Amino acid sequence: MSIQLGETVPDFELEADNGEKIKLSDYWGKNVVLYFYPKDMTPGCTTEACDFRDNHGDFEGLNTVVLGVSPDPISRHKKFIEKHELPFPLLSDENHEVAESFDVWKLKKNFGKEYMGIERSTFLIDKEGKLAKEWRKVKVAGHVEEIKQALEKIEA
């Protein structure tokens, strides 16, 4: 069962690329863009991460932190961050518990093969920890702009 708009998002704790444990509640008082992506170093995921990187100053100006989540291990996250100079944490959800709680761990099909994986999705959590907006089955092009527009409405 997924979290509904307007509901408080359950707190969770995941390891970040720097080895620290990060709790969602560490960021209450700020807006949080929590984005789930399938895999570090892949074309779509790289484009998405770099779009967030290139707009990082805008997010800071909107009292917002960006957190990326994938099932990749910390070692892979570190390489991804270094290669693309990402200024925000990437969290490792190797056992996909958090992905399942957000209902983004899905059966996927690619070239006739079925497997479980992340459905690219983004969740906007307001300063009080409530789910303000969600985007599922995200198409990368233009997505960061959509998020910024939603944030501008929240911060207005």
Side-chain angles (χ1 to χ4, degrees):
M1 183 170 165
S2 63
I3 301 138
Q4 302 300 309
L5 289 176
E7 289 182 354
T8 299
V9 176
D11 200 10
F12 62 81
E13 182 178 85
L14 289 174
E15 189 174 357
D17 55 272
N18 62 4
E20 291 180 17
K21 297 278 188 181
I22 288 184
K23 285 184 177 179
L24 185 60
S25 59
D26 293 342
Y27 298 102
W28 287 173
K30 291 183 176 269
N31 302 302
V32 176
V33 171
L34 183 67
Y35 83 98
F36 290 86
Y37 65 100
K39 192 171 179 69
D40 292 335
M41 305 293 187
T42 57
C45 296
T46 298
T47 299
E48 184 176 32
C50 291
D51 284 351
F52 279 117
R53 176 200 65 203
D54 295 346
N55 288 277
H56 192 255
D58 293 342
F59 285 112
E60 285 184 323
L62 291 164
N63 193 29
T64 302
V65 296
V66 174
L67 300 173
V69 181
S70 85
D72 289 305
I74 293 301
S75 59
R76 193 162 170 93
H77 280 340
K78 284 181 182 178
K79 289 176 189 168
F80 193 44
I81 284 176
E82 288 169 15
K83 182 172 183 178
H84 298 289
E85 299 177 0
L86 304 179
F88 51 85
L90 296 180
L91 309 179
S92 180
D93 188 21
E94 288 187 79
N95 60 12
H96 44 81
E97 283 181 20
V98 175
E100 286 180 35
S101 74
F102 280 85
D103 196 29
V104 299
W105 187 252
K106 302 281 189 180
L107 181 65
K108 299 173 85 174
K109 294 180 184 179
N110 196 15
F111 299 111
K113 293 190 178 216
E114 290 186 341
Y115 60 96
M116 295 300 290
I118 296 283
E119 177 181 84
R120 189 183 311 278
S121 303
T122 303
F123 299 87
L124 177 54
I125 302 162
D126 71 17
K127 292 177 247 188
E128 291 148 18
K130 294 185 189 301
L131 182 60
K133 191 153 178 65
E134 65 180 16
W135 294 265
R136 293 183 179 272
K137 297 182 182 178
V138 166
K139 302 290 182 233
V140 173
H143 180 54
V144 167
E145 281 303 316
E146 287 179 77
I147 298 168
K148 287 190 331 189
Q149 289 172 8
L151 275 165
E152 287 166 0
K153 289 178 184 170
I154 289 175
E155 286 295 302

